[in-house]
């Protein structure tokens, strides 16, 4: 579809509003609409769309209720404030500089179950504004590596880390473990090679709202498979501290509600997402199966504390939390 450059921003805004409206009434959005929107976002690289004037500073405040005050992640004030520079909304700027809903869920999960991530080497794909990485540093992950395929997003991410008193490291080399130093790496999924990924040996991989463009799925699953099949030389097997249930690769809406527990060994990925289209999600599941990976649903078994009760636009009911691990 050819669109005049002058009209591209208006089409972007229209498509985003269309997607939001259809999703709000639990309708199905055609994959072609998502793909067109992704193409338009990618093409909008003019300076007028990345100027700082397009950005605002928001503060995400996690409020710890009475039942969560004994968590190691709970500050004495019972609130964790995370300032972030981001796009005004998802209609402006590129998607990596917006706060996606599933990143809020994944952040709540990290803060609600800090024992899963504390003293672990963690690696996030598609890190966006860096919120998940900031929460990982807060719960004392031994190493935090954040990645994104867009240089502008990485620059904004580094600014957000500095806003939260964290240092950044842009080296690709395996650096020393320091919870106050976050590694920021440019990692386009389509060009990431196995040799490039060999520099990383994470125990935990994370991703939030990374399943919106099915054309990216083969590269995403390939990266997950490489990372999940890597082992530290002194590692045998470790107990997975969370439980969930293995999904069949033929998925329907009922499959997401009646699940039992299966433990995992070795590295594990935690992925938070909105399932916008069952066919698209089934395609992701088929690629996971082909890569000899297993996927489990933790949504009911590990529901995080409600740390954002004031955020009216944040609806956890349409989000799912999964783990992905190697069958090998």
């Amino acid at each position: 579809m050819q669109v005049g450059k002058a009209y591209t921003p208006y089409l972007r805004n229209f498509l985003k509003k269309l997607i939001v409206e259809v999703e709000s009434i639990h309708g199905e959005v055609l994959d072609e609409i998502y793909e067109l929107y992704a193409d338009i976002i990618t093409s909008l690289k003019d300076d007028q769309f990345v100027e700082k004037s397009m950005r605002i500073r928001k503060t995400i405040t996690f409020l710890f209720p009475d039942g969560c005050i004994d968590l190691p992640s709970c500050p004495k004030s019972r609130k964790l404030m995370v300032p972030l520079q981001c796009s005004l909304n998802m209609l402006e700027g590129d998607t990596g500089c917006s706060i996606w809903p599933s990143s809020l869920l994944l952040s709540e999960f990290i803060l609600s179950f800090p024992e899963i991530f504390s003293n672990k080497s963690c690696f996030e794909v598609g890190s966006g504004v860096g919120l998940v990485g900031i929460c990982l540093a807060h719960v004392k992950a031994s190493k935090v590596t954040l990645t994104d395929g867009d240089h502008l997003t990485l620059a904004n991410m580094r600014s957000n880390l500095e806003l939260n008193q964290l240092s950044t490291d842009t080296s690709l080399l395996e650096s020393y473990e320091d919870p106050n130093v976050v590694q920021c790496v440019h990692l386009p999924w389509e060009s990431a090679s196995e040799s490039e990924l060999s520099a990383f040996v994470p125990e935990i991989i994370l991703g939030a709202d990374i399943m919106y463009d099915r054309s990216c799925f083969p590269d995403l699953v390939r990266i997950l498979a490489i990372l999940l099949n890597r082992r530290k030389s002194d590692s045998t097997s470790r107990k997975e501290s969370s439980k969930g249930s293995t999904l069949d690769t033929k998925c329907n809406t009922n499959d997401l509600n009646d699940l039992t527990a299966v433990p995992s060994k070795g590295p594990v990925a935690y992925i938070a997402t909105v399932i916008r289209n069952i066919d698209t999600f089934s395609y992701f599941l088929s690629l996971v199966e082909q890569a000899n990976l297993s996927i489990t649903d933790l949504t009911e078994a590990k529901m995080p504390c409600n740390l954002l009760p004031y955020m009216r636009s944040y609806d956890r009911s349409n989000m799912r939390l999964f783990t992905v691990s190697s069958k090998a």
Side-chain angles (χ1 to χ4, degrees):
M1 180 178 180
Q2 298 296 322
V3 179
K5 188 174 181 180
Y7 298 99
T8 303
Y10 300 101
L11 181 57
R12 175 200 59 186
N13 291 359
F14 170 79
L15 289 174
K16 185 57 188 179
K17 183 172 179 60
L18 175 64
I19 291 169
V20 170
E21 290 293 329
V22 173
E23 289 180 352
S24 70
I25 59 173
H26 307 289
E28 280 195 1
V29 179
L30 293 176
D31 287 344
E32 290 82 1
I33 298 296
Y34 284 121
E35 290 167 6
L36 178 58
Y37 178 68
D39 288 343
I40 289 173
I41 287 295
T42 302
S43 69
L44 287 175
K45 295 299 181 183
D46 289 359
D47 288 344
Q48 60 178 310
F49 299 112
V50 295
E51 290 176 351
K52 287 189 176 181
S53 60
M54 298 292 291
R55 307 284 167 80
I56 62 168
R57 184 174 298 183
K58 289 185 178 180
T59 298
I60 305 298
T61 303
F62 297 97
L63 303 176
F64 289 75
D66 290 342
C68 298
I69 59 175
D70 292 329
L71 290 173
S73 55
C74 180
K76 290 182 179 179
S77 64
R78 293 178 58 174
K79 63 181 180 181
L80 174 65
M81 301 178 69
V82 181
L84 296 170
Q85 180 174 280
C86 57
S87 296
L88 184 60
N89 55 54
M90 288 188 186
L91 300 179
E92 299 190 21
D94 44 3
T95 57
C97 293
S98 297
I99 300 175
W100 287 70
S102 294
S103 68
L104 298 173
L105 178 67
L106 192 54
S107 297
E108 283 186 310
F109 179 71
I110 292 166
L111 297 173
S112 298
F113 300 98
E115 68 280 1
I116 295 177
F117 305 95
S118 178
N119 298 314
K120 296 292 193 304
S121 175
C122 299
F123 182 103
E124 187 185 12
V125 292
S127 301
V129 296
L131 176 60
V132 168
I134 293 167
C135 291
L136 287 170
H138 177 74
V139 301
K140 305 301 182 187
S142 61
K143 181 176 178 62
V144 178
T145 301
L146 304 184
T147 70
D148 206 280
D150 182 75
H151 285 291
L152 293 168
T153 298
L154 279 172
N156 186 67
M157 183 197 307
R158 286 193 289 270
S159 296
N160 284 333
L161 293 169
E162 292 168 3
L163 278 176
N164 288 273
Q165 291 75 54
L166 293 169
S167 301
T168 62
D169 174 16
T170 58
S171 170
L172 283 175
L173 299 176
E174 184 78 5
S175 61
Y176 61 91
E177 295 184 342
D178 184 341
N180 294 315
V181 176
V182 176
Q183 191 176 31
C184 298
V185 178
H186 180 239
L187 189 72
W189 297 350
E190 66 278 7
S191 61
S193 65
E194 186 165 359
S195 60
E196 184 179 3
L197 292 168
S198 67
F200 311 102
V201 191
E203 296 169 273
I204 297 176
I205 300 100
L206 303 100
D209 266 321
I210 53 176
M211 289 191 284
Y212 62 90
D213 183 358
R214 64 181 291 152
S215 67
C216 297
F217 286 3
D219 290 318
L220 171 60
V221 173
R222 178 178 58 84
I223 289 172
L224 291 176
I226 292 171
L227 294 173
L228 290 170
N229 281 295
R230 292 186 58 79
R231 298 290 190 275
K232 286 189 176 180
S233 59
D234 61 347
S235 174
T236 53
S237 64
R238 65 179 177 84
K239 293 181 180 179
E240 173 54 41
S241 56
S242 59
K243 295 181 178 180
S245 60
T246 302
L247 268 67
D248 189 273
T249 55
K250 294 181 180 179
C251 175
N252 59 56
T253 52
N254 293 326
D255 291 335
L256 304 176
N257 297 314
D258 185 19
L259 302 170
T260 56
V262 175
S264 174
K265 296 179 180 179
V268 62
Y270 291 89
I271 297 177
T273 191
V274 176
I275 299 180
R276 299 176 174 89
N277 183 291
I278 289 297
D279 290 338
T280 300
F281 183 62
S282 292
Y283 174 54
F284 177 78
L285 291 180
S286 68
L287 293 176
V288 165
E289 178 67 22
Q290 292 171 27
N292 200 31
L293 303 176
S294 64
I295 184 168
T296 64
D297 190 333
L298 294 182
T299 311
E300 306 302 329
K302 285 286 187 180
M303 180 61 69
C305 301
N306 182 12
L307 305 181
L308 300 167
Y310 62 91
M311 195 174 288
R312 295 182 180 179
S313 61
Y314 173 49
D315 180 12
R316 302 200 304 187
S317 65
N318 63 347
M319 300 180 202
R320 310 299 295 189
L321 178 65
F322 299 98
T323 61
V324 180
S325 57
S326 174
K327 292 182 181 179

